[in-house]
Amino acid sequence: MAFVRSWTAAIGLGVAAQLAGVAAPLAGQNPATAGAPPIDSITVEGNARNQADQIVLVSGLLLHSTPSYRDIQKVIDNLYNTGQFDDVRVQQRVVTGHFVIAIVVKERPLLLDWTITGVAKLPRHEIEDFVRLVKARPIDRAAVAHARFQIDSTYRKAGYYTAHTTVSETASKEGVKLAFDVTEGGRVTISQVEIQGNDHFNAAQLVKVMDSKPEGFLWFRSGEYDERKVDRDIRDHLPAWYGQHGLIDMQVTKDTLVADESTGKATLRMTLEEGQVYRVGTISIFGNRRFSAEELGALIPFGTPDAIGSGKTIGGMFDRTAWENATTKAGELYANNGYIGGNIITAEQSRRTLPDGTPVLDLRWRVVEGQPATINKINIVGNEVTHERIIREAIVLLPGELFNRERLIRSYQNIANLGFFQQPMPNPDMSAAPNGVDVDITFRVEEKHTGNINFGASVGQGTGLGGFLGLEEPNLFGRGKHGKLQWQFGQNITDFQLSYTDPTLFDSRMSGTATLYDSQLRYVVGDLGQQHSTGGSLQVGLPFLGSRYSRVFASYGLQHIRYSGGSADLQSAFQCAPCTRSTLGVSFLRDTRIGLPFPVAGNMLTVSAEQNGGLIGGDANYQKLNFDTRWFAPLGTMGSGKRGSVGGGVQFTLGITAKSGFIFGNTGNFFTELYSMGGVQYGIPLRGYDEFSITPNGFNPNASSTSASQSSFGKAYASFTTEAGARLSQAIYVDAFFDAGNVYRTVSQYNPTRLFRGVGIGAALVSPLGPIGVDLGYGLDRTDLLGHPAPGWKVHFRLGNFF
């Protein structure tokens, strides 16, 4: 602001000079009749870039006019307002008896460029946005001062109270270059929070619900001050807490940060006015026709449904959050029954005082129902490749039925789950039908590239040098059919797989999958020996009782396999040259997950049973039973994501997975059908441990991806995972996980309380070459060769469809 003050001083001096110059010759005249002499000539001095005649024109002075002091002040204002000058003075001169006005200016230099240095702790683009200076124009010194103020203010709001910005100029003949140098300093740390006026709750209870917490012993309690967090505490968190306990009038009347810049510590002080504790008075509902007062009253958490409209005082503690949630649920109830208006239910509160002095709130829902809307048309726009029938199969709404908000959201989610369209999809459009009452719904999609071709070279895990070629299209012919061909070849491996899935066989709701494979593994994996396997399978599926989310499947598979080499104990126990495995299976799948391939809500349940050999032939006779359940709950969103949709933004989720498997009978020579655990590539995953390291006999410290024995396999297993994840996009997912699992020699030894545990973090990416994942796991129950605890870290790389 120093520049502004200098301009004011210059204006003052200019006006004083003008008044002295003009008024002095007239000092002897009567003020009521005296006037300045007429202007005989106007000159301009100090200008180089601006033309003199333009300066005179802008000034407003006219030859032969008689200026007053107000006219001279206006001249100065006019010229300053052009932004071209740092200084303007108006002088009176008498030359050979002529009255001359001289306009003396100092031109502002042109701004050649500006830079900002020292910004590291806040987003650079946010700081740069405050500098609103135009290059190749006269420098705007007011804008410079404003930018410096805004930068310092932003740092203070973020807790950097010692931050300051200096501005320097580098002058040349062409103009000046400005440099904003930011000294950030350290962020102020809250050492304690002091609260006054809190009669109902102690400071510790209130700090617990605030984002602004004092520093603690653990790393996540840094205590760094952020004014934006304080604003949220004052505006949202504290009022919500008090509102849940009947204190709806609470307000923060004062907040102060007392900072010691020498230590970087600060005390956050708040003063509250809590107000009175309100209890629930009467509850009434007006205007409802579609739902009775008892039906709506069942949503209200105060009193009992029969108390609605009785005029009786309920008397319980009022909870504003519960009241708002009940109002939202009531609105959703109407929205799911055809009422699409935005203000169907209005929540009202009336204060009164009982005779004993108790303050109460009378609660009222005022309902304006209108006419329910029927779905007139459902339009689909933007599907240039995918056939409309595939999309309509995912929509759970039908023309002619009442509008239902939940089913609209589910339809949107189902279309997104197809994986054929760009994410996030636009929200569905709803427009009035021609009759003005019903509604037309339009889903807008944008096709994305769904198939991929991948090829290249590969080496690792004993496979030697080789190559691979893969073709995959999940939306074949635009009809949602999935085709995949994978061919891996090289020095020690030849692996060919071909699969085709049709979700609508013969344009029906029956699905079918056919798979063929031929695999020659001329290398040792887990010391399991060399293997040549050829076979295929067929599977058909039908909706279960007409459900869109539940299906039952029947499958048949045939496999010929030959083993050779491998560890001595495996060779002695299993001889297969060749062996045949015939498998007949049934399974049940219910999948309501949202946001695939990285779900953020919903659940999945899979139960499968197989008969191998026996009456259907083959060299083994055993039964296999598997259970797999996965449950996901949304924890919130950050950014543009919206509740109930697969929209943009970061979406946080909590996932729980529980799996178990059991084998009854004798697997014969098909030891690979038994369960093994550890790692992520071969058996049942357990991160933080090596492949084959979890055995029926306990942890095997000698196990690795190149070492296994007969004792590594069992007939039963239990596996559990809890994860807290963040879905950054449809293709990127990060999480923190807790794994637990074990494998058991026999089904009778199954004990889900005896588990090995692992914790860690992971990330997954859907790349053009297929899914890729990496996990860093910490095995909590690992031991050394002597049986002593030896927990440690393990990095795992995942390839293929691990979703």
Side-chain angles (χ1 to χ4, degrees), residues 6 70 86 261 270 283 302 397 437 476 599 645 664 706 728 790:
S6 68
R70 291 188 180 89
D86 274 339
E261 296 183 0
M270 290 184 173
I283 302 177
F302 312 120
L397 296 167
V437 177
L476 202 61
S645 73
F664 305 89
T706 58
L728 306 182

Side-chain angles (χ1 to χ4, degrees), residues 206-223:
L206 299 181
V207 169
K208 187 176 181 180
V209 302
M210 293 168 55
D211 283 344
S212 305
K213 292 180 171 60
E215 61 182 337
F217 176 75
L218 298 177
W219 78 93
F220 56 82
R221 284 285 298 273
S222 64

Side-chain angles (χ1 to χ4, degrees), residues 740-784:
N742 202 354
V743 61
Y744 312 95
R745 179 72 59 201
T746 63
V747 173
S748 61
Q749 294 177 351
Y750 178 83
N751 182 3
T753 65
R754 183 168 60 89
L755 305 171
F756 292 88
R757 302 162 301 162
V759 297
I761 56 176
L765 168 69
V766 179
S767 72
L769 300 182
I772 302 171
V774 60
D775 296 296
L776 178 61
Y778 186 78
L780 297 171
D781 300 308
R782 292 168 57 167
T783 59
D784 59 20

Side-chain angles (χ1 to χ4, degrees), residues 195 198 200-210 238 241 245:
I195 301 178
N198 52 315
H200 292 83
F201 306 102
N202 58 45
Q205 290 175 295
L206 299 181
V207 169
K208 187 176 181 180
V209 302
M210 293 168 55
L238 289 174
W241 170 261
H245 297 84

